Amino acid sequence: MRFGEPVPLAPDGRYVINVGSVTGCAPDRGPSPAWAVLDETAATLTYHHASPPTQIK
């Protein structure tokens, strides 16, 4: 799985999709938002994440 690349799903398959936790941080990304988009028409699941926030000094 790569962020931004659709994952094909079997049209007749059944899935449980866990996109993660709403608390804590992913160790590889830090505190940046992540989400998934399920496209039932295209039968794909695409994971996305935002860049970590930058601090302005």
Side-chain angles (χ1 to χ4, degrees):
M1 186 278 309
R2 293 181 187 265
F3 288 108
E5 292 184 14
V7 177
L9 304 174
D12 58 344
R14 295 178 68 168
Y15 298 88
V16 174
I17 300 167
N18 179 359
V19 295
S21 171
V22 288
T23 60
C25 300
D28 59 335
R29 289 190 322 274
S32 62
W35 64 97
V37 175
L38 174 63
D39 184 334
E40 293 181 89
T41 304
T44 60
L45 178 70
T46 306
Y47 291 92
H48 299 275
H49 73 94
S51 298
T54 56
Q55 294 182 359
I56 299 173
K57 294 182 179 182

